[in-house]
Amino acid sequence: MPEINNLKKYKNIHMIGIGGVSMSGIAAILKNWGFHVTGSDRCQSETTNKLNELGIKVTIGHNIDDVNSSDLVVYSAAIKNEDPEMQAAHLSGIPTMERADFLGEITRCFTDTICISGTHGKTTTTSMISLCFMEAVKDPSIQVGAYLKQLDGNYRVGNSEHFIIEACEYVESFLKFSPKAEVILNIDNDHLDYFKTFENIKNAFIKYAKLLPSDGLLVVNGDDKNCLDLYKYTDAKKMSYSILNKEADFYADNIVFNDDGFPTFDVYKSGEFFENISLSVPGKHNVLNALACIALCDFYGIGKDSIKSALSKFTGAHRRFEFKGIVNGARVFDDYGHHPTEIVATANSLKNKKYNESWVVFQPHTYSRTKNLLDDFANALTNFDHVIVLDIYAARESNVFNISSQDLVDKINLLGKHALYISDFENCVSYVKENVKENDIILTLGAGTVTEIGPMLLEIWFLKKVWFNNIINQIKMYSPNTYNSLINIMEVREDKLQETINSNYENTEATSIDYAVLEKSKDVYVIPSNFGWDDVGSWEALDRYREKDEL
């Protein structure tokens, strides 16, 4: 069991921004350790609903009473000092701690914190390592940066001393942690809004390597020139992996791809054959990610059979080349890639698949990244046959950089590849539907709201658990009769829904659901339990029922 004495002075912990990927995992760990946890977030989500089910009170909006009842307030990096709950904590003299600092405290509760870092591939490699530890029954605690179906979420609370986490370099948050083992996948030119220069990025990773104890482990990518000198900054044990250098501790050879672009390859350890591995995720970059996983897991004594089995079962984390469905005979994938290096890796993965033409719908992420890497983005996107660029997703920034998506489109067109700027999502969907052909591949790409394009293309019906206060206005508008009788909404996860219904939504009953909520784009429909699914053949049918006030 982890040693939590350093946290016991905080019996009641309030978390602002509790619905975030990392914050929600921290909350679940604290709850499991016996702390009283409350939290707030600006909007309701599946994550906040799940936390409620765990017995963690989550307020949508602000709750000053919960703040004043706490011994510590933990806040995410997005929360400003002007936040009402932050101000209440300061007025009451309640200590506050930023998420990364507090996560650092949690890493010190474990004797074996395993940190996976690097500009690209953290979520995938963290997922691979997590599954291998679970396959070997090592009962780890886990924090990963995306939904992973084997966890039914993005975290796991275990009872061993192993804590597997992503360690992000942005604002040097990973320097707050106390790792026993580090995997450094690559070092690239990113987050220049904070680092300003690549030299500062590299120096951050040097300081990170220095955190390792002498009995720790450093695993680095032997094919990334920016990682190669990190060895000299630590006394920990060093290991390397490669697909180019047979002198590395672990290297891959005889790499072949099937029609889905999934690789099979031989792994060699210190020059000797180790195992033949098959992945269920595409691309040569995932061979490198798997090698990083194999090197670390072998060091931890995880057997070859467990590693081989876990890696074959891994079909990708959420939004990592994730298959969404088929439209007009074309396959639709969604990917989080938002850096030129990631775009090139994804494009190269496509080349190993069989298809007609490729389409990319790209949403640049942050003005600063788009400005600083404009030429690199343009070159990367020329790897696709058809390029559509949406408006830049601002995230944490204002446009003080005098940059636009049209600038990127102009650069791509100058390189001889035809690109289109389309700002409106509906117009984008219409254009793709009108022009895509059978056996094409469509990729929605970016870290922002571009992920909504896939469901709009496919007209997927999401059956979600939502709470009354979150849909009250839609119910009043669409279904006054339902408004007074709505009592309970049951949950069916999206992945379970897709397993049980076909494209026409036939042979599906809603009798076990008091009220189902179907959401498409910005429209929300409340369906009573006696409404047969076989009556719902299209959104036009739903519209007809809505007009009759039967929904």
Side-chain angles (χ1 to χ4, degrees):
M1 278 289 292
E3 177 54 65
I4 62 173
N5 285 336
N6 62 322
L7 298 179
K8 283 186 175 177
K9 56 187 173 182
Y10 308 121
K11 294 182 180 178
N12 303 291
I13 300 174
H14 184 73
M15 305 182 69
I16 310 176
I18 197 169
V21 170
S22 179
M23 291 281 278
S24 58
I26 293 171
I29 289 172
L30 292 173
K31 176 70 175 177
N32 187 67
W33 287 349
F35 292 89
H36 179 254
V37 183
T38 60
S40 64
D41 209 285
R42 62 185 177 86
C43 59
Q44 189 173 357
S45 66
E46 189 173 338
T47 300
T48 59
N49 291 342
K50 188 173 181 180
L51 291 172
N52 274 311
E53 291 167 3
L54 291 176
I56 297 171
K57 177 186 174 186
V58 179
T59 299
I60 305 304
H62 302 293
N63 192 320
I64 304 304
D65 290 341
D66 284 346
V67 173
N68 290 332
S69 299
S70 65
D71 304 309
L72 174 71
V73 171
V74 179
Y75 61 95
S76 69
I79 304 301
K80 308 300 181 186
N81 280 325
E82 297 76 29
D83 180 88
E85 292 186 352
M86 287 288 285
Q87 290 182 336
H90 295 323
L91 283 173
S92 300
I94 298 169
T96 61
M97 193 178 298
E98 198 273 327
R99 175 205 64 86
D101 292 295
F102 190 73
L103 184 55
E105 290 295 320
I106 292 180
T107 66
R108 287 179 275 283
C109 295
F110 293 85
T111 60
D112 185 35
T113 294
I114 300 168
C115 293
I116 294 85
S117 61
T119 313
H120 319 293
K122 292 185 292 292
T123 295
T124 293
T125 309
T126 304
S127 300
M128 288 177 170
I129 291 170
S130 297
L131 295 188
C132 287
F133 271 68
M134 290 166 62
E135 187 84 14
V137 200
K138 288 188 173 287
D139 195 22
S141 294
I142 297 165
Q143 273 218 309
V144 63
Y147 175 84
L148 186 61
K149 67 180 181 181
Q150 288 88 347
L151 302 182
D152 192 26
N154 63 289
Y155 59 85
R156 181 181 191 272
V157 181
N159 291 302
S160 75
E161 289 293 339
H162 304 301
F163 185 30
I164 303 169
I165 62 171
E166 287 188 37
C168 182
E169 75 276 13
Y170 184 59
V171 300
E172 298 179 291
S173 359
F174 60 0
L175 299 184
K176 310 289 179 64
F177 305 158
S178 293
K180 182 67 175 292
E182 292 177 358
V183 175
I184 301 180
L185 300 165
N186 39 63
I187 304 174
D188 205 349
N189 215 17
D190 199 12
H191 300 306
L192 293 174
D193 58 317
Y194 172 78
F195 287 111
K196 309 303 181 188
T197 67
F198 179 77
E199 182 181 8
N200 290 336
I201 300 173
K202 180 61 181 286
N203 286 335
F205 276 92
I206 289 172
K207 289 185 280 187
Y208 173 64
K210 288 180 178 180
L211 296 176
L212 284 168
S214 58
D215 62 344
L217 172 68
L218 175 63
V219 179
V220 301
N221 180 354
D223 292 343
D224 189 308
K225 65 181 187 299
N226 298 316
C227 293
L228 296 179
D229 66 341
L230 294 176
Y231 282 171
K232 64 185 181 184
Y233 298 103
T234 179
D235 292 326
K237 179 177 174 60
K238 294 96 172 173
M239 298 179 70
S240 64
Y241 62 91
S242 172
I243 58 176
L244 301 176
N245 180 11
K246 294 186 177 183
E247 299 301 315
D249 296 294
F250 285 83
Y251 76 90
D253 203 0
N254 305 318
I255 304 171
V256 295
F257 297 90
N258 66 14
D259 289 349
D260 291 316
F262 300 162
T264 295
F265 53 96
D266 293 329
V267 178
Y268 290 81
K269 175 184 177 183
S270 302
E272 299 292 328
F273 178 77
F274 179 78
E275 186 58 86
N276 179 264
I277 299 291
S278 293
L279 302 182
S280 299
V281 287
K284 190 172 284 188
H285 62 291
N286 276 321
V287 175
L288 278 170
N289 292 335
L291 285 172
C293 167
I294 293 165
L296 181 130
C297 290
D298 181 69
F299 176 82
Y300 275 86
I302 296 176
K304 298 177 187 180
D305 289 344
S306 293
I307 295 172
K308 184 182 179 79
S309 174
L311 289 177
S312 69
K313 294 174 185 175
F314 175 62
T315 56
H318 178 54
R319 299 216 60 219
R320 271 61 179 182
F321 213 103
E322 182 180 17
F323 176 68
K324 306 301 292 185
I326 296 175
V327 60
N328 296 353
R331 288 171 290 170
V332 181
F333 294 86
D334 184 42
D335 193 87
Y336 188 74
H338 54 284
H339 184 280
T341 301
E342 296 163 353
I343 295 172
V344 171
T346 302
N348 287 336
S349 297
L350 279 181
K351 292 175 183 176
N352 296 311
K353 290 180 174 288
K354 290 187 175 181
Y355 63 94
N356 181 30
E357 291 187 333
S358 60
W359 294 72
V360 64
V361 179
F362 176 61
Q363 183 183 50
H365 189 266
T366 74
Y367 300 108
S368 60
R369 183 183 284 114
T370 308
K371 178 77 171 181
N372 290 321
L373 302 176
L374 186 65
D375 289 338
D376 294 334
F377 275 121
N379 281 294
L381 289 166
T382 61
N383 286 285
F384 299 91
D385 297 313
H386 304 274
V387 182
I388 297 171
V389 182
L390 304 172
D391 282 322
I392 296 170
Y393 185 78
R396 54 188 174 267
E397 296 182 342
S398 299
N399 191 6
V400 297
F401 301 91
N402 191 30
I403 190 70
S404 72
S405 291
Q406 187 63 56
D407 295 323
L408 177 55
V409 167
D410 291 343
K411 283 277 185 184
I412 297 168
N413 288 330
L414 283 174
L415 294 172
K417 179 71 67 173
H418 179 60
L420 288 174
Y421 163 58
I422 303 178
S423 62
D424 183 78
F425 279 26
E426 292 283 357
N427 291 341
C428 174
V429 168
S430 296
Y431 179 84
V432 173
K433 276 191 171 183
E434 289 169 5
N435 291 279
V436 73
K437 302 292 191 300
E438 188 173 1
N439 295 323
D440 284 356
I441 281 185
I442 305 166
L443 177 69
T444 56
L445 192 62
T449 53
V450 66
T451 190
E452 297 172 8
I453 294 290
M456 291 171 69
L457 279 168
L458 300 164
E459 295 191 354
I460 289 176
W461 297 357
F462 291 104
L463 188 54
K464 294 182 176 180
K465 180 174 183 180
V466 292
W467 297 93
F468 181 76
N469 63 350
N470 213 35
I471 61 167
I472 187 170
N473 291 330
Q474 289 92 336
I475 294 170
K476 282 181 178 178
M477 181 184 303
Y478 293 139
S479 184
N481 290 342
T482 304
Y483 173 75
N484 292 319
S485 60
L486 181 64
I487 297 173
N488 186 35
I489 300 171
M490 304 297 288
E491 178 181 21
V492 178
R493 291 194 54 81
E494 177 192 341
D495 53 352
K496 297 298 182 186
L497 180 67
Q498 292 302 308
E499 289 175 8
T500 56
I501 59 179
N502 61 23
S503 59
N504 294 317
Y505 300 89
E506 296 173 348
N507 305 318
T508 308
E509 303 254 341
T511 53
S512 63
I513 302 172
D514 292 308
Y515 286 91
V517 176
L518 287 168
E519 181 179 352
K520 177 199 173 192
S521 188
K522 296 179 181 178
D523 294 326
V524 175
Y525 301 85
V526 180
I527 315 297
S529 60
N530 60 1
F531 185 77
W533 285 102
D534 54 352
D535 294 330
V536 187
S538 66
W539 286 102
E540 289 75 15
L542 281 173
D543 287 333
R544 288 196 297 274
Y545 277 98
R546 184 179 68 181
E547 289 167 5
K548 297 183 202 175
D549 198 26
E550 293 184 22
L551 289 182

